[in-house]
Amino acid sequence: MNKPGRILFVLLFLSLFSLSTLAQQKLLTIDDIFDPVKKVNFNGTTPTIRWLKDGTHYLLTNEASKRDVPRLQKVDAATGEAVAFFDAAKMQSAFAAIPGITAQDARQLSNRGTYKFNGSEKGVLLNFANDLFYYELGSDKATRLTNNPEEEVGETFSPDDRMVAFVRNNDIYVLDLGIGRERRLTTDGNPKILNGRLDWVYQEELYGRGNFEAYWWSPDSSMLAYLRIDERPVPEFTVVDHIPYDQKVEVTPYPKAGDPNPIVQLGVINAGGGATRWIDTYKYQPTDFLIVRVARTPDGKKVVYQAQDRAQTFLDLNFADARDGKSSTVFRETSKAWVEAIDNPTWLKDGSFLWESERNGWRHLYQYAVDGKLLKQVTDGKWEVRSIEGVDEEKGLVYFSATEHSHIAPQAYRIKLDGTGLTRLTATEGSHRMDLSPANNYFLDSWSDVNTPTQTRLYDVAGKLIRVVNENRVDVLKEYKLGATELLQVKTRDGFVMEAMMIKPPDFDPGKKYPVMSFTYSGPHAPQVRNGWGSTTYMWHQLLAQKGYIIWVCDNRTASGKGVESTWPVYKNFGELELRDLEDGLAWLKSQAYVDASRIGMWGWSYGGYMTSYALTHSRSFKMGIAGGTVADWRDYDSIYTERYMQTPQNNQEGYKKSSPVTAAKDLHGKLLLIHGAIDDNVHMANTVQFVYELQKAGKQFQLMVYPKSRHGVTDPVLVEHMRQMMTDFILTNL
């Protein structure tokens, strides 16, 4: 190479090197993470997928913004070949022909990302403008099923696809699709009597947030079992939206700890109508028991229900005759503290069933005979089964997700029904979510680690990679100067191994001393440390790291997810043990030469807001704290969650007093920022107001930010950006 050529080469190399270096030097801004318009997509795109019943194809939901592909596609799992799942244009025309449906409505209805399918996956049920509609895929006609001003909710197909059930004004209705006639099955529904519909506390604490459905078809479509919930004994709580000029007032039955719970009954009624046959729950006091799960045996002859006392010290698995309601207890679960409902039995063809239990301190699988006799414990060890994904009875295999390899990163497994041959199917370090096909031939694996957004791959059931479904390469992450993330373990004073995560500033210098901003949740069996992608909160933590803070997340033992045995010590006394463990984590931090022990902060939301408030009123370890959605006094929170761990205030007066930041407001140490959603219907704003009042009376200064029209989480993108900027400013000012 001649001299001019060498000079040109060197200049080109230096130019490329400079561009590469600059590309990794960008610093995060609040706009990058939270601005509704300017924000950068740091998570990439994870496909929305669900298996179709043939087990060889799945349904892919494409983004609505993609105009070049159908919204829903049927994809050959092994090859990736995709075709439109149905003719959207034909569906649009069918809906446009219905009186009262505009062209825009029809276009919207035929381009939804999800539909409620019937059993054959050939018909869909749509809830639109407070009415129900039915459409058979590929046909020229859509049918309006209801046409009235009342709202229909909780709609489902019958197992034989011939009928639709729904709830209107808290009564159950069944509509025959063949003749279009609806039948009202229950008649006493009103705002205080809920038939086939869960109330607030039952859906929030027992059946899953957002799941209000409280009726269950029999396998032959002839009957429905349902819950009747009587809210009349339950005190009401009022939430006020102050933004409209005429304030909007919501009044909701909400049983606080120690208050009367709703009275629940379980009944069976014929789909063709007639009187309800009530299940005999004679052994339980009506005001002192919960029905926490309901199912049917595969032959439909028995209603299977799980019942607990209100303090949840036991759980009974009961079988009841669907014809006469006679009930018997198959077995009872107990523990040294509480028993938490997990799931319904997983039925096997011989009538036996798999049961998930935490009886030995760790969640594991057990096989029972149909008469309730324990046949065997299928899984065992100091690790947890997180979910049953499927059973292949022909091969005698159970597929499940578990923490056998890592407490902070679930993996996919299989085991023989006899308890032998435990095999891990996913090999990559990090968190895996398994989705087994109905044919037990493939599974989709959603994987991420602490540095990598979620990727999706297809494996066969032996764990062999078939293809990468979505690599989800987020190259924009390479442009930013991010701090190194470490996963650590720290022991408490009595030897419990706590999992922890640390993010160091990008230009970390071990010779300097850094302030620490810690994040916590701390609630029972709710770990925050995981070897998985942390989304927007992780990126905000990275922003703080860029500003010179060490980020610290450490799971106290009762939040660790290391078996329910690690959680039992919190029984009847929230706060004290959690704080002790968190301070043991801080003791390790303070022993590091690069940590400024005088500048440690904490933030958290919900239970984490409670823990932050508790820490700043019971400890001098923290210079500042940010507490969002705080439970300030556990007497203010709902009965089912709180009493599971604390019993009632009547039976644990001292425990409630000791656990409350309100009663310790005079001891506030450090700068405190309180945040609450003004219409929070879960952790009511009354918690923060009561805390504020005691702080004021004690002469303690603090800051408070209220977000109108926000519930337990602030979700309006504009308000979220405001909140995160405020939180950042508070940290920069006070830490």
Side-chain angles (χ1 to χ4, degrees), residues 235-237 254-261 310 574 610 630-643 646-664 682-684 686-688 690-691 694 697:
E236 295 181 330
F237 194 89
Y254 185 104
K256 295 181 182 180
D259 281 345
N261 273 336
R310 77 172 284 161
F574 277 159
Y610 159 70
T630 297
V631 182
D633 188 322
W634 287 101
R635 293 175 300 175
D636 283 331
Y637 198 51
D638 77 63
S639 57
I640 293 179
Y641 179 91
T642 309
E643 293 172 16
M646 292 285 288
Q647 294 196 340
T648 64
Q650 296 90 328
N651 293 327
N652 185 20
Q653 185 176 356
E654 185 62 23
Y656 276 81
K657 182 179 179 181
K658 286 174 58 181
S659 295
S660 173
V662 169
T663 61
N682 184 343
V683 179
H684 298 133
N687 282 270
T688 288
Q690 291 167 13
F691 191 25
E694 294 304 316
K697 289 192 294 182

Short mmCIF file of all heavy atoms in Angstrom, two decimals, residues 235-237 254-261 310 574 610 630-643 646-664 682-684 686-688 690-691 694 697:
data_model
loop_
_atom_site.label_atom_id
_atom_site.label_comp_id
_atom_site.label_asym_id
_atom_site.label_seq_id
_atom_site.Cartn_x
_atom_site.Cartn_y
_atom_site.Cartn_z
N PRO A 235 -69.13 -3.77 54.02
CA PRO A 235 -69.10 -2.29 54.03
C PRO A 235 -68.71 -1.75 52.65
O PRO A 235 -68.00 -2.42 51.89
CB PRO A 235 -68.03 -1.96 55.07
CG PRO A 235 -67.93 -3.17 55.92
CD PRO A 235 -68.21 -4.34 55.02
N GLU A 236 -69.17 -0.55 52.36
CA GLU A 236 -68.86 0.08 51.07
C GLU A 236 -67.75 1.11 51.24
O GLU A 236 -67.61 1.72 52.30
CB GLU A 236 -70.10 0.76 50.50
CG GLU A 236 -71.20 -0.22 50.15
CD GLU A 236 -72.42 0.45 49.56
OE1 GLU A 236 -72.67 1.63 49.93
OE2 GLU A 236 -73.13 -0.18 48.76
N PHE A 237 -66.99 1.27 50.18
CA PHE A 237 -65.94 2.29 50.18
C PHE A 237 -66.19 3.22 49.00
O PHE A 237 -66.51 2.77 47.90
CB PHE A 237 -64.55 1.68 50.07
CG PHE A 237 -63.45 2.67 50.39
CD1 PHE A 237 -63.00 2.82 51.69
CD2 PHE A 237 -62.91 3.47 49.40
CE1 PHE A 237 -62.02 3.74 52.01
CE2 PHE A 237 -61.93 4.40 49.71
CZ PHE A 237 -61.47 4.54 51.02
N TYR A 254 -66.28 -3.29 49.73
CA TYR A 254 -64.85 -3.56 49.92
C TYR A 254 -64.63 -3.98 51.37
O TYR A 254 -64.65 -3.15 52.28
CB TYR A 254 -64.04 -2.30 49.60
CG TYR A 254 -62.53 -2.47 49.65
CD1 TYR A 254 -61.79 -2.54 48.48
CD2 TYR A 254 -61.85 -2.51 50.86
CE1 TYR A 254 -60.40 -2.67 48.51
CE2 TYR A 254 -60.47 -2.65 50.91
CZ TYR A 254 -59.75 -2.73 49.72
OH TYR A 254 -58.37 -2.86 49.75
N PRO A 255 -64.44 -5.29 51.61
CA PRO A 255 -64.23 -5.74 52.98
C PRO A 255 -62.79 -5.51 53.42
O PRO A 255 -61.86 -6.11 52.89
CB PRO A 255 -64.55 -7.23 52.91
CG PRO A 255 -64.20 -7.62 51.50
CD PRO A 255 -64.45 -6.41 50.65
N LYS A 256 -62.60 -4.63 54.38
CA LYS A 256 -61.27 -4.44 54.95
C LYS A 256 -61.00 -5.55 55.96
O LYS A 256 -61.90 -6.30 56.35
CB LYS A 256 -61.17 -3.07 55.62
CG LYS A 256 -61.29 -1.89 54.67
CD LYS A 256 -61.15 -0.58 55.42
CE LYS A 256 -61.32 0.61 54.50
NZ LYS A 256 -61.19 1.90 55.23
N ALA A 257 -59.76 -5.66 56.37
CA ALA A 257 -59.38 -6.67 57.36
C ALA A 257 -60.30 -6.59 58.57
O ALA A 257 -60.49 -5.51 59.14
CB ALA A 257 -57.94 -6.47 57.78
N GLY A 258 -60.91 -7.72 58.91
CA GLY A 258 -61.81 -7.78 60.05
C GLY A 258 -63.26 -7.48 59.74
O GLY A 258 -64.14 -7.75 60.56
N ASP A 259 -63.54 -6.89 58.55
CA ASP A 259 -64.92 -6.60 58.15
C ASP A 259 -65.65 -7.87 57.73
O ASP A 259 -65.01 -8.88 57.37
CB ASP A 259 -64.94 -5.63 56.96
CG ASP A 259 -64.68 -4.19 57.36
OD1 ASP A 259 -64.77 -3.89 58.57
OD2 ASP A 259 -64.40 -3.37 56.47
N PRO A 260 -66.99 -7.84 57.69
CA PRO A 260 -67.73 -8.97 57.12
C PRO A 260 -67.37 -9.20 55.66
O PRO A 260 -67.26 -8.24 54.88
CB PRO A 260 -69.19 -8.53 57.26
CG PRO A 260 -69.20 -7.52 58.35
CD PRO A 260 -67.88 -6.81 58.24
N ASN A 261 -67.15 -10.44 55.31
CA ASN A 261 -66.89 -10.82 53.92
C ASN A 261 -68.21 -11.04 53.19
O ASN A 261 -69.26 -11.22 53.82
CB ASN A 261 -66.09 -12.12 53.86
CG ASN A 261 -64.59 -11.87 53.94
OD1 ASN A 261 -64.11 -10.79 53.61
ND2 ASN A 261 -63.85 -12.88 54.39
N ARG A 310 -62.04 -18.20 56.64
CA ARG A 310 -61.70 -16.85 56.20
C ARG A 310 -60.24 -16.52 56.48
O ARG A 310 -59.61 -15.76 55.75
CB ARG A 310 -62.63 -15.80 56.77
CG ARG A 310 -62.42 -15.38 58.20
CD ARG A 310 -63.29 -14.18 58.57
NE ARG A 310 -62.78 -12.92 58.02
CZ ARG A 310 -63.51 -11.81 57.88
NH1 ARG A 310 -64.78 -11.82 58.20
NH2 ARG A 310 -62.96 -10.71 57.42
N PHE A 574 -46.12 -8.18 59.74
CA PHE A 574 -45.51 -7.57 58.56
C PHE A 574 -44.46 -6.53 58.97
O PHE A 574 -44.59 -5.85 59.98
CB PHE A 574 -46.57 -6.86 57.71
CG PHE A 574 -47.33 -7.76 56.78
CD1 PHE A 574 -48.59 -7.37 56.30
CD2 PHE A 574 -46.83 -8.97 56.36
CE1 PHE A 574 -49.31 -8.17 55.43
CE2 PHE A 574 -47.54 -9.79 55.49
CZ PHE A 574 -48.78 -9.38 55.02
N TYR A 610 -45.37 0.34 50.99
CA TYR A 610 -45.49 0.08 52.42
C TYR A 610 -44.11 -0.13 53.04
O TYR A 610 -43.78 0.46 54.08
CB TYR A 610 -46.35 -1.17 52.65
CG TYR A 610 -46.12 -1.81 54.00
CD1 TYR A 610 -46.55 -1.18 55.17
CD2 TYR A 610 -45.44 -3.02 54.11
CE1 TYR A 610 -46.32 -1.76 56.42
CE2 TYR A 610 -45.21 -3.60 55.34
CZ TYR A 610 -45.65 -2.96 56.50
OH TYR A 610 -45.40 -3.52 57.73
N THR A 630 -48.98 3.28 48.76
CA THR A 630 -48.60 2.71 50.05
C THR A 630 -49.80 2.13 50.81
O THR A 630 -50.82 2.80 50.96
CB THR A 630 -47.95 3.79 50.92
OG1 THR A 630 -46.76 4.22 50.28
CG2 THR A 630 -47.62 3.29 52.31
N VAL A 631 -49.63 0.92 51.33
CA VAL A 631 -50.51 0.42 52.40
C VAL A 631 -49.90 0.95 53.70
O VAL A 631 -48.88 0.46 54.15
CB VAL A 631 -50.58 -1.11 52.42
CG1 VAL A 631 -51.54 -1.57 53.52
CG2 VAL A 631 -51.02 -1.66 51.08
N ALA A 632 -50.52 1.97 54.27
CA ALA A 632 -49.95 2.61 55.45
C ALA A 632 -50.44 1.99 56.75
O ALA A 632 -49.81 2.16 57.79
CB ALA A 632 -50.26 4.11 55.44
N ASP A 633 -51.57 1.29 56.69
CA ASP A 633 -52.12 0.60 57.85
C ASP A 633 -52.88 -0.60 57.31
O ASP A 633 -53.82 -0.45 56.52
CB ASP A 633 -53.05 1.54 58.63
CG ASP A 633 -53.50 0.95 59.96
OD1 ASP A 633 -53.75 -0.28 60.03
OD2 ASP A 633 -53.60 1.71 60.94
N TRP A 634 -52.49 -1.81 57.72
CA TRP A 634 -53.07 -3.02 57.13
C TRP A 634 -54.55 -3.19 57.49
O TRP A 634 -55.24 -4.00 56.87
CB TRP A 634 -52.25 -4.25 57.52
CG TRP A 634 -50.96 -4.25 56.76
CD1 TRP A 634 -49.72 -3.88 57.20
CD2 TRP A 634 -50.79 -4.60 55.38
NE1 TRP A 634 -48.81 -3.97 56.19
CE2 TRP A 634 -49.42 -4.42 55.07
CE3 TRP A 634 -51.66 -5.04 54.38
CZ2 TRP A 634 -48.91 -4.67 53.79
CZ3 TRP A 634 -51.15 -5.30 53.11
CH2 TRP A 634 -49.79 -5.11 52.83
N ARG A 635 -55.06 -2.41 58.44
CA ARG A 635 -56.50 -2.42 58.70
C ARG A 635 -57.26 -1.81 57.53
O ARG A 635 -58.47 -2.01 57.40
CB ARG A 635 -56.81 -1.67 59.99
CG ARG A 635 -56.29 -2.34 61.25
CD ARG A 635 -56.54 -1.48 62.47
NE ARG A 635 -55.87 -0.19 62.37
CZ ARG A 635 -55.98 0.78 63.25
NH1 ARG A 635 -56.74 0.60 64.33
NH2 ARG A 635 -55.34 1.93 63.09
N ASP A 636 -56.55 -1.05 56.68
CA ASP A 636 -57.18 -0.41 55.52
C ASP A 636 -57.25 -1.32 54.30
O ASP A 636 -57.92 -0.98 53.32
CB ASP A 636 -56.39 0.84 55.11
CG ASP A 636 -56.66 2.02 56.02
OD1 ASP A 636 -57.76 2.09 56.58
OD2 ASP A 636 -55.75 2.87 56.17
N TYR A 637 -56.53 -2.45 54.33
CA TYR A 637 -56.48 -3.27 53.11
C TYR A 637 -57.49 -4.40 53.17
O TYR A 637 -58.10 -4.67 54.20
CB TYR A 637 -55.07 -3.80 52.87
CG TYR A 637 -54.88 -4.25 51.43
CD1 TYR A 637 -55.23 -3.40 50.37
CD2 TYR A 637 -54.42 -5.51 51.12
CE1 TYR A 637 -55.10 -3.81 49.05
CE2 TYR A 637 -54.27 -5.92 49.81
CZ TYR A 637 -54.63 -5.07 48.78
OH TYR A 637 -54.52 -5.48 47.47
N ASP A 638 -57.69 -5.09 52.03
CA ASP A 638 -58.80 -6.03 51.94
C ASP A 638 -58.59 -7.26 52.81
O ASP A 638 -57.48 -7.66 53.14
CB ASP A 638 -59.06 -6.41 50.47
CG ASP A 638 -58.07 -7.42 49.90
OD1 ASP A 638 -58.01 -8.55 50.40
OD2 ASP A 638 -57.37 -7.08 48.93
N SER A 639 -59.71 -7.86 53.17
CA SER A 639 -59.73 -8.94 54.16
C SER A 639 -58.99 -10.19 53.68
O SER A 639 -58.23 -10.79 54.45
CB SER A 639 -61.19 -9.30 54.48
OG SER A 639 -61.89 -9.67 53.28
N ILE A 640 -59.21 -10.60 52.44
CA ILE A 640 -58.71 -11.92 52.02
C ILE A 640 -57.19 -11.93 51.95
O ILE A 640 -56.55 -12.87 52.43
CB ILE A 640 -59.36 -12.33 50.68
CG1 ILE A 640 -60.87 -12.58 50.89
CG2 ILE A 640 -58.69 -13.58 50.12
CD1 ILE A 640 -61.62 -12.97 49.63
N TYR A 641 -56.59 -10.90 51.36
CA TYR A 641 -55.12 -10.85 51.32
C TYR A 641 -54.55 -10.66 52.71
O TYR A 641 -53.68 -11.41 53.16
CB TYR A 641 -54.67 -9.71 50.41
CG TYR A 641 -53.16 -9.57 50.32
CD1 TYR A 641 -52.44 -10.23 49.33
CD2 TYR A 641 -52.44 -8.78 51.23
CE1 TYR A 641 -51.06 -10.12 49.25
CE2 TYR A 641 -51.06 -8.67 51.15
CZ TYR A 641 -50.38 -9.33 50.16
OH TYR A 641 -49.01 -9.22 50.08
N THR A 642 -55.03 -9.68 53.42
CA THR A 642 -54.42 -9.30 54.69
C THR A 642 -54.55 -10.38 55.74
O THR A 642 -53.59 -10.72 56.45
CB THR A 642 -55.04 -7.99 55.20
OG1 THR A 642 -55.00 -7.01 54.17
CG2 THR A 642 -54.27 -7.48 56.41
N GLU A 643 -55.74 -10.96 55.86
CA GLU A 643 -55.97 -11.95 56.92
C GLU A 643 -55.24 -13.26 56.65
O GLU A 643 -54.98 -14.02 57.59
CB GLU A 643 -57.47 -12.18 57.08
CG GLU A 643 -58.22 -10.97 57.62
CD GLU A 643 -59.72 -11.14 57.59
OE1 GLU A 643 -60.20 -12.28 57.44
OE2 GLU A 643 -60.44 -10.12 57.71
N MET A 646 -51.99 -12.01 58.30
CA MET A 646 -52.02 -11.26 59.57
C MET A 646 -53.17 -11.67 60.49
O MET A 646 -53.29 -11.13 61.59
CB MET A 646 -52.14 -9.76 59.27
CG MET A 646 -50.91 -9.16 58.62
SD MET A 646 -49.55 -8.92 59.78
CE MET A 646 -50.17 -7.54 60.74
N GLN A 647 -54.04 -12.61 60.06
CA GLN A 647 -55.29 -12.87 60.74
C GLN A 647 -56.09 -11.57 60.82
O GLN A 647 -55.80 -10.60 60.13
CB GLN A 647 -55.06 -13.50 62.11
CG GLN A 647 -54.45 -14.90 62.04
CD GLN A 647 -54.57 -15.65 63.33
OE1 GLN A 647 -54.77 -15.11 64.40
NE2 GLN A 647 -54.45 -16.98 63.23
N THR A 648 -57.12 -11.52 61.65
CA THR A 648 -57.95 -10.31 61.72
C THR A 648 -57.37 -9.35 62.74
O THR A 648 -56.67 -9.76 63.68
CB THR A 648 -59.39 -10.66 62.11
OG1 THR A 648 -59.39 -11.21 63.43
CG2 THR A 648 -60.02 -11.65 61.14
N PRO A 649 -57.69 -8.05 62.60
CA PRO A 649 -57.25 -7.10 63.63
C PRO A 649 -57.78 -7.45 65.01
O PRO A 649 -57.12 -7.20 66.02
CB PRO A 649 -57.82 -5.77 63.13
CG PRO A 649 -58.01 -5.93 61.67
CD PRO A 649 -58.38 -7.38 61.49
N GLN A 650 -58.98 -8.05 65.04
CA GLN A 650 -59.56 -8.43 66.32
C GLN A 650 -58.71 -9.50 67.03
O GLN A 650 -58.64 -9.54 68.26
CB GLN A 650 -60.98 -8.95 66.13
CG GLN A 650 -61.96 -7.91 65.60
CD GLN A 650 -62.03 -7.86 64.08
OE1 GLN A 650 -61.05 -8.12 63.40
NE2 GLN A 650 -63.21 -7.53 63.54
N ASN A 651 -58.06 -10.37 66.24
CA ASN A 651 -57.26 -11.46 66.80
C ASN A 651 -55.77 -11.16 66.81
O ASN A 651 -54.97 -12.00 67.28
CB ASN A 651 -57.51 -12.75 66.02
CG ASN A 651 -58.92 -13.27 66.19
OD1 ASN A 651 -59.51 -13.11 67.26
ND2 ASN A 651 -59.48 -13.87 65.16
N ASN A 652 -55.36 -10.02 66.28
CA ASN A 652 -53.91 -9.71 66.21
C ASN A 652 -53.71 -8.20 66.31
O ASN A 652 -53.06 -7.58 65.47
CB ASN A 652 -53.34 -10.25 64.89
CG ASN A 652 -51.83 -10.08 64.79
OD1 ASN A 652 -51.15 -9.90 65.79
ND2 ASN A 652 -51.31 -10.12 63.58
N GLN A 653 -54.28 -7.62 67.33
CA GLN A 653 -54.25 -6.17 67.48
C GLN A 653 -52.82 -5.64 67.54
O GLN A 653 -52.48 -4.65 66.88
CB GLN A 653 -55.02 -5.76 68.74
CG GLN A 653 -55.15 -4.26 68.93
CD GLN A 653 -56.00 -3.90 70.13
OE1 GLN A 653 -56.55 -4.78 70.79
NE2 GLN A 653 -56.11 -2.62 70.43
N GLU A 654 -51.96 -6.30 68.29
CA GLU A 654 -50.59 -5.82 68.45
C GLU A 654 -49.80 -5.95 67.14
O GLU A 654 -49.00 -5.08 66.79
CB GLU A 654 -49.88 -6.61 69.56
CG GLU A 654 -48.48 -6.12 69.88
CD GLU A 654 -48.45 -4.69 70.39
OE1 GLU A 654 -49.48 -4.20 70.91
OE2 GLU A 654 -47.39 -4.04 70.28
N GLY A 655 -50.06 -7.05 66.39
CA GLY A 655 -49.37 -7.23 65.11
C GLY A 655 -49.69 -6.13 64.13
O GLY A 655 -48.81 -5.62 63.42
N TYR A 656 -50.97 -5.73 64.06
CA TYR A 656 -51.36 -4.66 63.16
C TYR A 656 -50.73 -3.33 63.59
O TYR A 656 -50.28 -2.55 62.74
CB TYR A 656 -52.89 -4.53 63.12
CG TYR A 656 -53.56 -5.49 62.17
CD1 TYR A 656 -53.80 -6.82 62.52
CD2 TYR A 656 -53.95 -5.08 60.89
CE1 TYR A 656 -54.41 -7.70 61.65
CE2 TYR A 656 -54.57 -5.95 60.01
CZ TYR A 656 -54.80 -7.26 60.39
OH TYR A 656 -55.40 -8.14 59.52
N LYS A 657 -50.70 -3.09 64.88
CA LYS A 657 -50.12 -1.84 65.37
C LYS A 657 -48.63 -1.77 65.05
O LYS A 657 -48.13 -0.74 64.56
CB LYS A 657 -50.36 -1.73 66.87
CG LYS A 657 -49.83 -0.44 67.48
CD LYS A 657 -50.11 -0.39 68.99
CE LYS A 657 -49.55 0.88 69.61
NZ LYS A 657 -49.80 0.93 71.07
N LYS A 658 -47.91 -2.84 65.32
CA LYS A 658 -46.47 -2.87 65.07
C LYS A 658 -46.14 -2.76 63.59
O LYS A 658 -45.09 -2.23 63.22
CB LYS A 658 -45.87 -4.17 65.63
CG LYS A 658 -45.74 -4.22 67.13
CD LYS A 658 -45.27 -5.60 67.58
CE LYS A 658 -43.93 -5.97 66.95
NZ LYS A 658 -43.48 -7.30 67.37
N SER A 659 -47.04 -3.25 62.73
CA SER A 659 -46.76 -3.30 61.30
C SER A 659 -47.08 -1.99 60.58
O SER A 659 -46.83 -1.88 59.38
CB SER A 659 -47.57 -4.43 60.65
OG SER A 659 -47.16 -5.69 61.14
N SER A 660 -47.62 -1.01 61.28
CA SER A 660 -48.15 0.17 60.61
C SER A 660 -47.19 1.36 60.62
O SER A 660 -46.75 1.79 61.69
CB SER A 660 -49.45 0.60 61.30
OG SER A 660 -49.90 1.83 60.77
N PRO A 661 -46.87 1.91 59.45
CA PRO A 661 -46.12 3.17 59.41
C PRO A 661 -46.89 4.32 60.06
O PRO A 661 -46.28 5.25 60.60
CB PRO A 661 -45.92 3.42 57.91
CG PRO A 661 -46.02 2.08 57.27
CD PRO A 661 -47.03 1.34 58.10
N VAL A 662 -48.22 4.26 60.01
CA VAL A 662 -49.03 5.34 60.59
C VAL A 662 -48.74 5.50 62.07
O VAL A 662 -48.56 6.62 62.57
CB VAL A 662 -50.54 5.07 60.35
CG1 VAL A 662 -51.39 6.03 61.17
CG2 VAL A 662 -50.87 5.21 58.87
N THR A 663 -48.66 4.40 62.79
CA THR A 663 -48.45 4.47 64.23
C THR A 663 -47.02 4.87 64.58
O THR A 663 -46.73 5.19 65.74
CB THR A 663 -48.77 3.12 64.90
OG1 THR A 663 -47.90 2.10 64.36
CG2 THR A 663 -50.22 2.73 64.66
N ALA A 664 -46.12 4.85 63.59
CA ALA A 664 -44.72 5.22 63.82
C ALA A 664 -44.34 6.49 63.08
O ALA A 664 -43.16 6.77 62.91
CB ALA A 664 -43.81 4.07 63.40
N ASN A 682 -57.85 -0.14 44.81
CA ASN A 682 -57.22 -1.31 45.40
C ASN A 682 -56.61 -0.93 46.75
O ASN A 682 -57.15 -1.25 47.80
CB ASN A 682 -56.15 -1.84 44.42
CG ASN A 682 -55.51 -3.12 44.88
OD1 ASN A 682 -55.57 -3.48 46.04
ND2 ASN A 682 -54.85 -3.81 43.98
N VAL A 683 -55.49 -0.23 46.72
CA VAL A 683 -54.94 0.37 47.93
C VAL A 683 -55.47 1.80 47.97
O VAL A 683 -54.96 2.68 47.28
CB VAL A 683 -53.41 0.36 47.92
CG1 VAL A 683 -52.86 1.02 49.18
CG2 VAL A 683 -52.88 -1.06 47.80
N HIS A 684 -56.53 2.02 48.72
CA HIS A 684 -57.21 3.32 48.69
C HIS A 684 -56.28 4.45 49.14
O HIS A 684 -55.41 4.26 49.99
CB HIS A 684 -58.44 3.29 49.60
CG HIS A 684 -59.45 2.28 49.17
ND1 HIS A 684 -60.04 1.40 50.06
CD2 HIS A 684 -59.97 2.00 47.95
CE1 HIS A 684 -60.89 0.62 49.41
NE2 HIS A 684 -60.86 0.96 48.13
N ALA A 686 -56.91 6.63 51.04
CA ALA A 686 -57.06 6.86 52.48
C ALA A 686 -55.81 6.43 53.25
O ALA A 686 -55.46 7.03 54.28
CB ALA A 686 -58.28 6.09 53.00
N ASN A 687 -55.12 5.41 52.76
CA ASN A 687 -53.87 4.97 53.40
C ASN A 687 -52.87 6.11 53.49
O ASN A 687 -52.34 6.42 54.56
CB ASN A 687 -53.24 3.82 52.60
CG ASN A 687 -53.91 2.49 52.82
OD1 ASN A 687 -53.54 1.75 53.71
ND2 ASN A 687 -54.90 2.19 51.98
N THR A 688 -52.61 6.74 52.35
CA THR A 688 -51.63 7.83 52.32
C THR A 688 -52.13 9.04 53.09
O THR A 688 -51.35 9.70 53.79
CB THR A 688 -51.29 8.19 50.86
OG1 THR A 688 -50.51 7.12 50.29
CG2 THR A 688 -50.51 9.48 50.76
N GLN A 690 -54.12 9.09 55.71
CA GLN A 690 -53.97 8.82 57.14
C GLN A 690 -52.51 8.96 57.58
O GLN A 690 -52.23 9.49 58.67
CB GLN A 690 -54.49 7.42 57.46
CG GLN A 690 -56.00 7.29 57.33
CD GLN A 690 -56.48 5.85 57.35
OE1 GLN A 690 -55.72 4.94 57.68
NE2 GLN A 690 -57.73 5.63 56.98
N PHE A 691 -51.60 8.49 56.76
CA PHE A 691 -50.17 8.60 57.05
C PHE A 691 -49.75 10.08 57.07
O PHE A 691 -49.04 10.54 57.97
CB PHE A 691 -49.39 7.81 56.01
CG PHE A 691 -47.93 7.62 56.31
CD1 PHE A 691 -47.44 7.65 57.61
CD2 PHE A 691 -47.03 7.39 55.28
CE1 PHE A 691 -46.09 7.46 57.88
CE2 PHE A 691 -45.69 7.20 55.53
CZ PHE A 691 -45.21 7.24 56.83
N GLU A 694 -50.79 11.91 60.26
CA GLU A 694 -49.94 11.62 61.42
C GLU A 694 -48.57 12.26 61.28
O GLU A 694 -47.99 12.73 62.28
CB GLU A 694 -49.81 10.11 61.61
CG GLU A 694 -51.11 9.40 61.99
CD GLU A 694 -51.73 9.98 63.25
OE1 GLU A 694 -50.99 10.24 64.23
OE2 GLU A 694 -52.97 10.19 63.26
N LYS A 697 -49.07 15.95 62.16
CA LYS A 697 -49.24 16.16 63.59
C LYS A 697 -47.92 15.99 64.35
O LYS A 697 -47.72 16.60 65.40
CB LYS A 697 -50.30 15.20 64.14
CG LYS A 697 -51.72 15.55 63.69
CD LYS A 697 -52.76 14.78 64.48
CE LYS A 697 -52.70 13.29 64.22
NZ LYS A 697 -53.77 12.56 64.97
#
